[in-house]
Amino acid sequence: MTNLNSLQWIDGAWVPGTDRFASINPADGSIVGHAAEGGRAEAEAAIAAAHAAFHRPDWAQNPRLRQAVLLGWANRLDAEAEDLARLLTLENGKAIAQSRGEIAGAISEIRYYGGLARHVPGHVLEVEPGVLSTMLREPAGVAALIIPWNAPAVLLARAIGPALACGCTVVVKPAAQTTLLTAAFLRALSEVPGLPRGVCNMVSETGHAAAARLVDSPLVDVVSFTGSTATGKRIMVAAADTMKKLSLELGGKSCCVVFPDADPAETAARIATAATIISGQQCTAARRVLVHASAFDAMKTHLRAALAAMTVGNGLDPAIRMGPLIDRPARDQVQTQVERAFDTCDEVLLRGGVPTDSPAAASFLTPSLVAHDDPSAFFCQDEIFGPFLVLERFETEAEAVAKANNTVFGLSASVWTRDGARALRMARALRNGTVWINDHNRLFAEAETGGYRQSGLGRLHGYDAFADFTELKHICQTVGTIG
Ligand code: NAD
């Protein structure tokens, strides 16, 4: 299965690019394989193929075929799951247990949308006597899917699943760092019998020329982008001229709000896990921990201990809970931000850094924890995409809500308490697309996720993801009445 020299998939053929680039293992700097270097020309060809495929009825108007293809794809991925998990850890660095969970989640998501492919209903109204308004839910057209490196399997599945299920055709543009994993996933799709040529395409690149063309091409109808808020804003501007539908899943700064009735040791252990998932490179990772003043000192002790105990190393070792960051530039940027925070915070509780025994070309960074009272500090406001947590204090529910909502983001949050009414009261008040109660980072194929405010537009996962990839057409017909 694992094709360590990936090509691009355009109009049914796997083709090379103008050059190729290396995929680097962030745990040791070794080369995992090579991927085809594409650009604007490849994007144009892929868009043209997807456009032609959309305008043939054999995909966009054939839900039973779409279901068969999605379910066939899931079965093929299942057969390769362990190899895919290893490849994910090699390219991304995450702990192998997280990779296995992600591959299983991606397959489950493709099956979920395979099931839904035959149920994309509109509705019909009799608006006046003898006048029928049919509201037909149609696929929106060609969807460009720009997928990041942090969870490349499940974030591909949650975008391509609804896009293909409802009858769109797609062009996938993976992040350079995880192109081999995306290509391996799509290679399995390309082998499913019955998939029409041009329905799914993939272009790869180290730069952004192909991605930029996907965003401004008049033949692309939807852009589904998962990535940073800064790039999301650039995409919004670039997509304005052609008035595309935008599905934007952007950055976050998740707060965990901890009340004194939550067990401090257990809560700290679970928040430490939530903060270091994918080495802190998950959009929903725990970033700020707001703790009631009466439990503050206990949480300090337990959280520092839980983070300090995190095993950091090569993700292929099953004893390791935290792998490296995605690459050296990302590691260096996070380290710089964390060191700036050390200089200005109220108290450094755990001073993370580069482990002394890590290979020279690796990108490891151990977790850090600071305490700080002023939520306007840059490290309470900016998304720092790595293993860095801030502990803050509150006295009342109202103060906790005000502090937690003091952010431009609105992706996710969690509330930790044994008081059920308080948990729901807080969940209602927190301005986020997802709020967990006594939990963090749980995402399901069935449950819509997305951002409030600058965390994005639209929803992926769940049935409502179809809204991002469909148009609702009004067909009006006067049929008259009898008698
Ligand atoms: P990023 O913003 O750097 O995105 C990189 C991708 O954007 C690449 O594929 C690149 O080719 C493309 N790109 C760059 N400039 C472009 C342009 N002008 N036009 C079109 N495409 C362009 O993000 P990243 O660092 O790869 O990912 C990390 C970010 O993703 C974090 O902010 C994280 O919170 C966010 N994220 C969000 C979610 C979510 O569900 N909300 C999930 C995962 C990650």
PDB file of all heavy atoms in Angstrom, residues 146-150 155 158 173-175 205 207-208 211-212 215 225-229 231 234-235 249-252 283 383 385 411 455, ligand 1:
ATOM      1  N   ILE A 146      -8.581  22.112   0.983  1.00  0.00           N
ATOM      2  CA  ILE A 146      -7.193  22.398   1.405  1.00  0.00           C
ATOM      3  C   ILE A 146      -7.046  21.875   2.832  1.00  0.00           C
ATOM      4  O   ILE A 146      -7.697  22.372   3.757  1.00  0.00           O
ATOM      5  CB  ILE A 146      -6.885  23.905   1.288  1.00  0.00           C
ATOM      6  CG1 ILE A 146      -7.144  24.385  -0.151  1.00  0.00           C
ATOM      7  CG2 ILE A 146      -5.430  24.180   1.702  1.00  0.00           C
ATOM      8  CD1 ILE A 146      -6.971  25.885  -0.365  1.00  0.00           C
ATOM      9  N   ILE A 147      -6.213  20.838   2.970  1.00  0.00           N
ATOM     10  CA  ILE A 147      -6.189  20.020   4.196  1.00  0.00           C
ATOM     11  C   ILE A 147      -4.858  20.252   4.931  1.00  0.00           C
ATOM     12  O   ILE A 147      -3.804  20.199   4.301  1.00  0.00           O
ATOM     13  CB  ILE A 147      -6.304  18.514   3.822  1.00  0.00           C
ATOM     14  CG1 ILE A 147      -7.484  18.275   2.852  1.00  0.00           C
ATOM     15  CG2 ILE A 147      -6.403  17.626   5.049  1.00  0.00           C
ATOM     16  CD1 ILE A 147      -8.840  18.576   3.385  1.00  0.00           C
ATOM     17  N   PRO A 148      -4.891  20.450   6.248  1.00  0.00           N
ATOM     18  CA  PRO A 148      -3.633  20.689   6.970  1.00  0.00           C
ATOM     19  C   PRO A 148      -2.916  19.394   7.372  1.00  0.00           C
ATOM     20  O   PRO A 148      -3.438  18.297   7.187  1.00  0.00           O
ATOM     21  CB  PRO A 148      -4.095  21.448   8.215  1.00  0.00           C
ATOM     22  CG  PRO A 148      -5.434  20.894   8.496  1.00  0.00           C
ATOM     23  CD  PRO A 148      -6.041  20.522   7.159  1.00  0.00           C
ATOM     24  N   TRP A 149      -1.750  19.562   7.975  1.00  0.00           N
ATOM     25  CA  TRP A 149      -0.889  18.424   8.301  1.00  0.00           C
ATOM     26  C   TRP A 149      -1.161  17.842   9.687  1.00  0.00           C
ATOM     27  O   TRP A 149      -0.655  16.787  10.026  1.00  0.00           O
ATOM     28  CB  TRP A 149       0.585  18.866   8.261  1.00  0.00           C
ATOM     29  CG  TRP A 149       0.831  20.192   8.929  1.00  0.00           C
ATOM     30  CD1 TRP A 149       0.949  21.412   8.311  1.00  0.00           C
ATOM     31  CD2 TRP A 149       0.943  20.457  10.334  1.00  0.00           C
ATOM     32  NE1 TRP A 149       1.117  22.410   9.250  1.00  0.00           N
ATOM     33  CE2 TRP A 149       1.117  21.849  10.509  1.00  0.00           C
ATOM     34  CE3 TRP A 149       0.895  19.651  11.480  1.00  0.00           C
ATOM     35  CZ2 TRP A 149       1.249  22.458  11.763  1.00  0.00           C
ATOM     36  CZ3 TRP A 149       1.028  20.252  12.730  1.00  0.00           C
ATOM     37  CH2 TRP A 149       1.194  21.636  12.851  1.00  0.00           C
ATOM     38  N   ASN A 150      -1.919  18.566  10.529  1.00  0.00           N
ATOM     39  CA  ASN A 150      -1.953  18.108  11.935  1.00  0.00           C
ATOM     40  C   ASN A 150      -2.797  16.851  12.132  1.00  0.00           C
ATOM     41  O   ASN A 150      -2.483  16.016  12.970  1.00  0.00           O
ATOM     42  CB  ASN A 150      -2.371  19.240  12.878  1.00  0.00           C
ATOM     43  CG  ASN A 150      -3.763  19.734  12.624  1.00  0.00           C
ATOM     44  OD1 ASN A 150      -4.316  19.573  11.536  1.00  0.00           O
ATOM     45  ND2 ASN A 150      -4.355  20.348  13.631  1.00  0.00           N
ATOM     46  N   LEU A 155      -9.179  15.012   8.904  1.00  0.00           N
ATOM     47  CA  LEU A 155      -9.623  16.302   8.356  1.00  0.00           C
ATOM     48  C   LEU A 155      -9.888  16.195   6.863  1.00  0.00           C
ATOM     49  O   LEU A 155     -10.745  16.908   6.324  1.00  0.00           O
ATOM     50  CB  LEU A 155      -8.605  17.404   8.675  1.00  0.00           C
ATOM     51  CG  LEU A 155      -8.368  17.626  10.172  1.00  0.00           C
ATOM     52  CD1 LEU A 155      -7.372  18.751  10.422  1.00  0.00           C
ATOM     53  CD2 LEU A 155      -9.673  17.918  10.919  1.00  0.00           C
ATOM     54  N   ARG A 158     -13.465  14.360   6.849  1.00  0.00           N
ATOM     55  CA  ARG A 158     -14.638  15.143   7.233  1.00  0.00           C
ATOM     56  C   ARG A 158     -14.992  16.190   6.174  1.00  0.00           C
ATOM     57  O   ARG A 158     -16.086  16.743   6.212  1.00  0.00           O
ATOM     58  CB  ARG A 158     -14.428  15.811   8.593  1.00  0.00           C
ATOM     59  CG  ARG A 158     -13.496  16.971   8.564  1.00  0.00           C
ATOM     60  CD  ARG A 158     -13.433  17.705   9.877  1.00  0.00           C
ATOM     61  NE  ARG A 158     -12.645  18.909   9.706  1.00  0.00           N
ATOM     62  CZ  ARG A 158     -12.434  19.804  10.644  1.00  0.00           C
ATOM     63  NH1 ARG A 158     -12.942  19.646  11.841  1.00  0.00           N
ATOM     64  NH2 ARG A 158     -11.712  20.867  10.397  1.00  0.00           N
ATOM     65  N   LYS A 173      -5.908  19.436  -1.956  1.00  0.00           N
ATOM     66  CA  LYS A 173      -4.547  19.991  -1.872  1.00  0.00           C
ATOM     67  C   LYS A 173      -4.058  19.749  -0.448  1.00  0.00           C
ATOM     68  O   LYS A 173      -4.451  20.443   0.475  1.00  0.00           O
ATOM     69  CB  LYS A 173      -4.590  21.488  -2.207  1.00  0.00           C
ATOM     70  CG  LYS A 173      -3.335  22.021  -2.868  1.00  0.00           C
ATOM     71  CD  LYS A 173      -2.069  21.940  -2.038  1.00  0.00           C
ATOM     72  CE  LYS A 173      -2.012  23.030  -0.977  1.00  0.00           C
ATOM     73  NZ  LYS A 173      -0.800  22.905  -0.133  1.00  0.00           N
ATOM     74  N   PRO A 174      -3.212  18.728  -0.249  1.00  0.00           N
ATOM     75  CA  PRO A 174      -2.723  18.452   1.104  1.00  0.00           C
ATOM     76  C   PRO A 174      -1.643  19.437   1.521  1.00  0.00           C
ATOM     77  O   PRO A 174      -1.025  20.100   0.678  1.00  0.00           O
ATOM     78  CB  PRO A 174      -2.122  17.053   0.975  1.00  0.00           C
ATOM     79  CG  PRO A 174      -1.754  16.909  -0.458  1.00  0.00           C
ATOM     80  CD  PRO A 174      -2.677  17.797  -1.258  1.00  0.00           C
ATOM     81  N   ALA A 175      -1.390  19.494   2.820  1.00  0.00           N
ATOM     82  CA  ALA A 175      -0.211  20.213   3.315  1.00  0.00           C
ATOM     83  C   ALA A 175       1.026  19.462   2.829  1.00  0.00           C
ATOM     84  O   ALA A 175       1.030  18.227   2.760  1.00  0.00           O
ATOM     85  CB  ALA A 175      -0.226  20.256   4.838  1.00  0.00           C
ATOM     86  N   GLU A 205       2.134  20.296  -3.500  1.00  0.00           N
ATOM     87  CA  GLU A 205       3.131  21.362  -3.704  1.00  0.00           C
ATOM     88  C   GLU A 205       3.758  21.738  -2.367  1.00  0.00           C
ATOM     89  O   GLU A 205       3.172  21.500  -1.308  1.00  0.00           O
ATOM     90  CB  GLU A 205       2.465  22.616  -4.305  1.00  0.00           C
ATOM     91  CG  GLU A 205       1.387  23.216  -3.395  1.00  0.00           C
ATOM     92  CD  GLU A 205       0.740  24.487  -3.934  1.00  0.00           C
ATOM     93  OE1 GLU A 205       1.198  25.012  -4.949  1.00  0.00           O
ATOM     94  OE2 GLU A 205      -0.236  24.951  -3.306  1.00  0.00           O
ATOM     95  N   GLY A 207       4.831  25.068  -2.123  1.00  0.00           N
ATOM     96  CA  GLY A 207       4.409  26.477  -2.025  1.00  0.00           C
ATOM     97  C   GLY A 207       2.905  26.603  -1.971  1.00  0.00           C
ATOM     98  O   GLY A 207       2.222  25.696  -1.482  1.00  0.00           O
ATOM     99  N   HIS A 208       2.357  27.712  -2.478  1.00  0.00           N
ATOM    100  CA  HIS A 208       0.919  27.939  -2.394  1.00  0.00           C
ATOM    101  C   HIS A 208       0.286  28.267  -3.745  1.00  0.00           C
ATOM    102  O   HIS A 208      -0.853  28.716  -3.796  1.00  0.00           O
ATOM    103  CB  HIS A 208       0.614  29.097  -1.440  1.00  0.00           C
ATOM    104  CG  HIS A 208       1.292  28.944  -0.116  1.00  0.00           C
ATOM    105  ND1 HIS A 208       1.214  27.782   0.622  1.00  0.00           N
ATOM    106  CD2 HIS A 208       2.070  29.793   0.592  1.00  0.00           C
ATOM    107  CE1 HIS A 208       1.938  27.918   1.731  1.00  0.00           C
ATOM    108  NE2 HIS A 208       2.465  29.125   1.728  1.00  0.00           N
ATOM    109  N   ALA A 211      -2.755  26.108  -4.447  1.00  0.00           N
ATOM    110  CA  ALA A 211      -3.823  26.466  -3.502  1.00  0.00           C
ATOM    111  C   ALA A 211      -4.445  27.806  -3.882  1.00  0.00           C
ATOM    112  O   ALA A 211      -5.680  27.967  -3.876  1.00  0.00           O
ATOM    113  CB  ALA A 211      -3.260  26.531  -2.084  1.00  0.00           C
ATOM    114  N   ALA A 212      -3.607  28.757  -4.236  1.00  0.00           N
ATOM    115  CA  ALA A 212      -4.126  30.085  -4.594  1.00  0.00           C
ATOM    116  C   ALA A 212      -5.014  29.998  -5.833  1.00  0.00           C
ATOM    117  O   ALA A 212      -6.062  30.668  -5.911  1.00  0.00           O
ATOM    118  CB  ALA A 212      -2.966  31.048  -4.827  1.00  0.00           C
ATOM    119  N   VAL A 215      -8.419  28.775  -5.066  1.00  0.00           N
ATOM    120  CA  VAL A 215      -9.248  29.772  -4.393  1.00  0.00           C
ATOM    121  C   VAL A 215      -9.793  30.807  -5.373  1.00  0.00           C
ATOM    122  O   VAL A 215     -10.930  31.278  -5.207  1.00  0.00           O
ATOM    123  CB  VAL A 215      -8.439  30.452  -3.262  1.00  0.00           C
ATOM    124  CG1 VAL A 215      -9.209  31.613  -2.662  1.00  0.00           C
ATOM    125  CG2 VAL A 215      -8.086  29.437  -2.180  1.00  0.00           C
ATOM    126  N   PHE A 225     -11.464  24.974   3.617  1.00  0.00           N
ATOM    127  CA  PHE A 225     -10.088  25.157   4.092  1.00  0.00           C
ATOM    128  C   PHE A 225     -10.037  24.890   5.583  1.00  0.00           C
ATOM    129  O   PHE A 225     -10.841  25.441   6.351  1.00  0.00           O
ATOM    130  CB  PHE A 225      -9.627  26.591   3.806  1.00  0.00           C
ATOM    131  CG  PHE A 225      -8.323  26.966   4.483  1.00  0.00           C
ATOM    132  CD1 PHE A 225      -7.110  26.493   3.991  1.00  0.00           C
ATOM    133  CD2 PHE A 225      -8.309  27.764   5.619  1.00  0.00           C
ATOM    134  CE1 PHE A 225      -5.905  26.819   4.620  1.00  0.00           C
ATOM    135  CE2 PHE A 225      -7.110  28.102   6.249  1.00  0.00           C
ATOM    136  CZ  PHE A 225      -5.909  27.627   5.749  1.00  0.00           C
ATOM    137  N   THR A 226      -9.109  24.075   6.016  1.00  0.00           N
ATOM    138  CA  THR A 226      -8.821  23.919   7.437  1.00  0.00           C
ATOM    139  C   THR A 226      -7.394  24.380   7.645  1.00  0.00           C
ATOM    140  O   THR A 226      -6.471  23.847   7.024  1.00  0.00           O
ATOM    141  CB  THR A 226      -8.984  22.451   7.885  1.00  0.00           C
ATOM    142  OG1 THR A 226     -10.306  22.022   7.595  1.00  0.00           O
ATOM    143  CG2 THR A 226      -8.741  22.308   9.372  1.00  0.00           C
ATOM    144  N   GLY A 227      -7.220  25.391   8.479  1.00  0.00           N
ATOM    145  CA  GLY A 227      -5.883  25.927   8.714  1.00  0.00           C
ATOM    146  C   GLY A 227      -5.981  27.144   9.622  1.00  0.00           C
ATOM    147  O   GLY A 227      -6.958  27.301  10.366  1.00  0.00           O
ATOM    148  N   SER A 228      -5.000  28.014   9.538  1.00  0.00           N
ATOM    149  CA  SER A 228      -4.949  29.135  10.478  1.00  0.00           C
ATOM    150  C   SER A 228      -5.937  30.234  10.095  1.00  0.00           C
ATOM    151  O   SER A 228      -6.353  30.358   8.937  1.00  0.00           O
ATOM    152  CB  SER A 228      -3.537  29.704  10.516  1.00  0.00           C
ATOM    153  OG  SER A 228      -3.248  30.312   9.274  1.00  0.00           O
ATOM    154  N   THR A 229      -6.280  31.036  11.078  1.00  0.00           N
ATOM    155  CA  THR A 229      -7.188  32.163  10.843  1.00  0.00           C
ATOM    156  C   THR A 229      -6.567  33.159   9.866  1.00  0.00           C
ATOM    157  O   THR A 229      -7.264  33.709   9.001  1.00  0.00           O
ATOM    158  CB  THR A 229      -7.534  32.830  12.190  1.00  0.00           C
ATOM    159  OG1 THR A 229      -8.267  31.865  12.966  1.00  0.00           O
ATOM    160  CG2 THR A 229      -8.387  34.070  12.014  1.00  0.00           C
ATOM    161  N   THR A 231      -4.505  32.612   7.307  1.00  0.00           N
ATOM    162  CA  THR A 231      -4.666  32.126   5.928  1.00  0.00           C
ATOM    163  C   THR A 231      -6.148  32.127   5.552  1.00  0.00           C
ATOM    164  O   THR A 231      -6.496  32.446   4.407  1.00  0.00           O
ATOM    165  CB  THR A 231      -4.050  30.723   5.766  1.00  0.00           C
ATOM    166  OG1 THR A 231      -2.705  30.757   6.235  1.00  0.00           O
ATOM    167  CG2 THR A 231      -4.059  30.272   4.326  1.00  0.00           C
ATOM    168  N   ARG A 234      -7.038  35.450   4.284  1.00  0.00           N
ATOM    169  CA  ARG A 234      -6.507  35.684   2.922  1.00  0.00           C
ATOM    170  C   ARG A 234      -7.373  34.962   1.893  1.00  0.00           C
ATOM    171  O   ARG A 234      -7.653  35.481   0.817  1.00  0.00           O
ATOM    172  CB  ARG A 234      -5.049  35.207   2.832  1.00  0.00           C
ATOM    173  CG  ARG A 234      -4.061  36.203   3.437  1.00  0.00           C
ATOM    174  CD  ARG A 234      -2.625  35.911   2.980  1.00  0.00           C
ATOM    175  NE  ARG A 234      -2.078  34.740   3.641  1.00  0.00           N
ATOM    176  CZ  ARG A 234      -1.498  34.752   4.834  1.00  0.00           C
ATOM    177  NH1 ARG A 234      -1.374  35.887   5.494  1.00  0.00           N
ATOM    178  NH2 ARG A 234      -1.030  33.659   5.371  1.00  0.00           N
ATOM    179  N   ILE A 235      -7.824  33.773   2.247  1.00  0.00           N
ATOM    180  CA  ILE A 235      -8.670  33.006   1.323  1.00  0.00           C
ATOM    181  C   ILE A 235     -10.006  33.722   1.115  1.00  0.00           C
ATOM    182  O   ILE A 235     -10.509  33.807  -0.011  1.00  0.00           O
ATOM    183  CB  ILE A 235      -8.848  31.563   1.854  1.00  0.00           C
ATOM    184  CG1 ILE A 235      -7.538  30.797   1.632  1.00  0.00           C
ATOM    185  CG2 ILE A 235     -10.032  30.860   1.204  1.00  0.00           C
ATOM    186  CD1 ILE A 235      -7.508  29.402   2.194  1.00  0.00           C
ATOM    187  N   GLU A 249     -12.457  26.245   8.595  1.00  0.00           N
ATOM    188  CA  GLU A 249     -12.238  25.674   9.936  1.00  0.00           C
ATOM    189  C   GLU A 249     -10.882  26.180  10.391  1.00  0.00           C
ATOM    190  O   GLU A 249      -9.851  25.712   9.925  1.00  0.00           O
ATOM    191  CB  GLU A 249     -12.262  24.138   9.868  1.00  0.00           C
ATOM    192  CG  GLU A 249     -13.589  23.564   9.399  1.00  0.00           C
ATOM    193  CD  GLU A 249     -14.675  23.641  10.458  1.00  0.00           C
ATOM    194  OE1 GLU A 249     -14.339  23.771  11.646  1.00  0.00           O
ATOM    195  OE2 GLU A 249     -15.859  23.585  10.095  1.00  0.00           O
ATOM    196  N   LEU A 250     -10.896  27.156  11.296  1.00  0.00           N
ATOM    197  CA  LEU A 250      -9.676  27.933  11.553  1.00  0.00           C
ATOM    198  C   LEU A 250      -9.141  27.725  12.972  1.00  0.00           C
ATOM    199  O   LEU A 250      -9.430  26.723  13.609  1.00  0.00           O
ATOM    200  CB  LEU A 250      -9.966  29.404  11.249  1.00  0.00           C
ATOM    201  CG  LEU A 250     -10.582  29.638   9.847  1.00  0.00           C
ATOM    202  CD1 LEU A 250     -10.903  31.104   9.637  1.00  0.00           C
ATOM    203  CD2 LEU A 250      -9.685  29.104   8.743  1.00  0.00           C
ATOM    204  N   GLY A 251      -8.385  28.682  13.437  1.00  0.00           N
ATOM    205  CA  GLY A 251      -7.654  28.528  14.699  1.00  0.00           C
ATOM    206  C   GLY A 251      -8.538  28.609  15.931  1.00  0.00           C
ATOM    207  O   GLY A 251      -9.725  28.919  15.857  1.00  0.00           O
ATOM    208  N   GLY A 252      -7.928  28.335  17.075  1.00  0.00           N
ATOM    209  CA  GLY A 252      -8.671  28.368  18.332  1.00  0.00           C
ATOM    210  C   GLY A 252      -7.761  28.661  19.505  1.00  0.00           C
ATOM    211  O   GLY A 252      -6.533  28.741  19.364  1.00  0.00           O
ATOM    212  N   CYS A 283      -6.235  21.989  16.758  1.00  0.00           N
ATOM    213  CA  CYS A 283      -6.946  23.277  16.855  1.00  0.00           C
ATOM    214  C   CYS A 283      -7.725  23.399  18.148  1.00  0.00           C
ATOM    215  O   CYS A 283      -7.848  24.479  18.710  1.00  0.00           O
ATOM    216  CB  CYS A 283      -7.878  23.445  15.664  1.00  0.00           C
ATOM    217  SG  CYS A 283      -8.978  22.030  15.438  1.00  0.00           S
ATOM    218  N   GLU A 383      -3.001  32.149  19.269  1.00  0.00           N
ATOM    219  CA  GLU A 383      -2.892  30.695  19.206  1.00  0.00           C
ATOM    220  C   GLU A 383      -1.411  30.328  19.127  1.00  0.00           C
ATOM    221  O   GLU A 383      -0.718  30.699  18.180  1.00  0.00           O
ATOM    222  CB  GLU A 383      -3.624  30.169  17.969  1.00  0.00           C
ATOM    223  CG  GLU A 383      -3.626  28.652  17.904  1.00  0.00           C
ATOM    224  CD  GLU A 383      -4.266  28.118  16.626  1.00  0.00           C
ATOM    225  OE1 GLU A 383      -3.907  28.599  15.536  1.00  0.00           O
ATOM    226  OE2 GLU A 383      -5.117  27.220  16.721  1.00  0.00           O
ATOM    227  N   PHE A 385       0.757  27.215  18.640  1.00  0.00           N
ATOM    228  CA  PHE A 385       0.417  25.878  18.155  1.00  0.00           C
ATOM    229  C   PHE A 385       1.450  24.849  18.610  1.00  0.00           C
ATOM    230  O   PHE A 385       2.201  24.289  17.818  1.00  0.00           O
ATOM    231  CB  PHE A 385       0.304  25.928  16.632  1.00  0.00           C
ATOM    232  CG  PHE A 385      -0.761  25.020  16.073  1.00  0.00           C
ATOM    233  CD1 PHE A 385      -2.061  25.057  16.549  1.00  0.00           C
ATOM    234  CD2 PHE A 385      -0.466  24.115  15.058  1.00  0.00           C
ATOM    235  CE1 PHE A 385      -3.045  24.227  16.049  1.00  0.00           C
ATOM    236  CE2 PHE A 385      -1.444  23.278  14.537  1.00  0.00           C
ATOM    237  CZ  PHE A 385      -2.731  23.341  15.044  1.00  0.00           C
ATOM    238  N   LEU A 411     -13.734  28.357  19.041  1.00  0.00           N
ATOM    239  CA  LEU A 411     -13.777  26.999  18.486  1.00  0.00           C
ATOM    240  C   LEU A 411     -14.311  25.992  19.507  1.00  0.00           C
ATOM    241  O   LEU A 411     -15.255  25.258  19.229  1.00  0.00           O
ATOM    242  CB  LEU A 411     -12.374  26.597  18.025  1.00  0.00           C
ATOM    243  CG  LEU A 411     -12.265  25.332  17.189  1.00  0.00           C
ATOM    244  CD1 LEU A 411     -13.094  25.460  15.914  1.00  0.00           C
ATOM    245  CD2 LEU A 411     -10.817  25.043  16.843  1.00  0.00           C
ATOM    246  N   SER A 455     -12.907  31.734  14.499  1.00  0.00           N
ATOM    247  CA  SER A 455     -12.550  30.321  14.341  1.00  0.00           C
ATOM    248  C   SER A 455     -13.184  29.712  13.104  1.00  0.00           C
ATOM    249  O   SER A 455     -12.943  28.541  12.811  1.00  0.00           O
ATOM    250  CB  SER A 455     -12.931  29.523  15.593  1.00  0.00           C
ATOM    251  OG  SER A 455     -12.044  29.836  16.649  1.00  0.00           O
TER     252      SER A 455
HETATM  253  P1  NAD B   1      -1.915  27.396   7.454  1.00  0.00           P
HETATM  254  O1  NAD B   1      -2.861  28.504   7.617  1.00  0.00           O
HETATM  255  O2  NAD B   1      -0.474  27.702   7.352  1.00  0.00           O
HETATM  256  O3  NAD B   1      -2.399  26.607   6.164  1.00  0.00           O
HETATM  257  C1  NAD B   1      -1.516  25.981   5.313  1.00  0.00           C
HETATM  258  C2  NAD B   1      -2.246  25.595   4.050  1.00  0.00           C
HETATM  259  O4  NAD B   1      -2.800  26.755   3.455  1.00  0.00           O
HETATM  260  C3  NAD B   1      -1.291  24.994   3.046  1.00  0.00           C
HETATM  261  O5  NAD B   1      -1.949  23.913   2.396  1.00  0.00           O
HETATM  262  C4  NAD B   1      -1.056  26.130   2.075  1.00  0.00           C
HETATM  263  O6  NAD B   1      -0.743  25.674   0.774  1.00  0.00           O
HETATM  264  C5  NAD B   1      -2.369  26.848   2.127  1.00  0.00           C
HETATM  265  N1  NAD B   1      -2.232  28.259   1.816  1.00  0.00           N
HETATM  266  C6  NAD B   1      -1.321  29.106   2.296  1.00  0.00           C
HETATM  267  N2  NAD B   1      -1.520  30.340   1.775  1.00  0.00           N
HETATM  268  C7  NAD B   1      -2.583  30.247   0.966  1.00  0.00           C
HETATM  269  C8  NAD B   1      -3.304  31.160   0.172  1.00  0.00           C
HETATM  270  N3  NAD B   1      -2.941  32.437   0.105  1.00  0.00           N
HETATM  271  N4  NAD B   1      -4.371  30.728  -0.496  1.00  0.00           N
HETATM  272  C9  NAD B   1      -4.762  29.453  -0.421  1.00  0.00           C
HETATM  273  N5  NAD B   1      -4.126  28.515   0.329  1.00  0.00           N
HETATM  274  C10 NAD B   1      -3.053  28.922   1.009  1.00  0.00           C
HETATM  275  O7  NAD B   1      -2.223  26.383   8.643  1.00  0.00           O
HETATM  276  P2  NAD B   1      -1.316  25.226   9.224  1.00  0.00           P
HETATM  277  O8  NAD B   1      -0.197  25.825   9.989  1.00  0.00           O
HETATM  278  O9  NAD B   1      -1.016  24.239   8.168  1.00  0.00           O
HETATM  279  O10 NAD B   1      -2.349  24.528  10.250  1.00  0.00           O
HETATM  280  C11 NAD B   1      -2.451  24.923  11.568  1.00  0.00           C
HETATM  281  C12 NAD B   1      -3.673  25.778  11.772  1.00  0.00           C
HETATM  282  O11 NAD B   1      -4.823  25.034  11.400  1.00  0.00           O
HETATM  283  C13 NAD B   1      -3.905  26.183  13.209  1.00  0.00           C
HETATM  284  O12 NAD B   1      -4.268  27.528  13.247  1.00  0.00           O
HETATM  285  C14 NAD B   1      -5.082  25.298  13.641  1.00  0.00           C
HETATM  286  O13 NAD B   1      -5.842  25.824  14.688  1.00  0.00           O
HETATM  287  C15 NAD B   1      -5.855  25.196  12.374  1.00  0.00           C
HETATM  288  N6  NAD B   1      -6.748  24.036  12.384  1.00  0.00           N
HETATM  289  C16 NAD B   1      -8.078  24.239  12.531  1.00  0.00           C
HETATM  290  C17 NAD B   1      -8.941  23.154  12.601  1.00  0.00           C
HETATM  291  C18 NAD B   1     -10.419  23.346  12.806  1.00  0.00           C
HETATM  292  O14 NAD B   1     -11.152  22.375  12.728  1.00  0.00           O
HETATM  293  N7  NAD B   1     -10.891  24.551  13.079  1.00  0.00           N
HETATM  294  C19 NAD B   1      -8.431  21.860  12.488  1.00  0.00           C
HETATM  295  C20 NAD B   1      -7.063  21.701  12.322  1.00  0.00           C
HETATM  296  C21 NAD B   1      -6.231  22.796  12.260  1.00  0.00           C
END
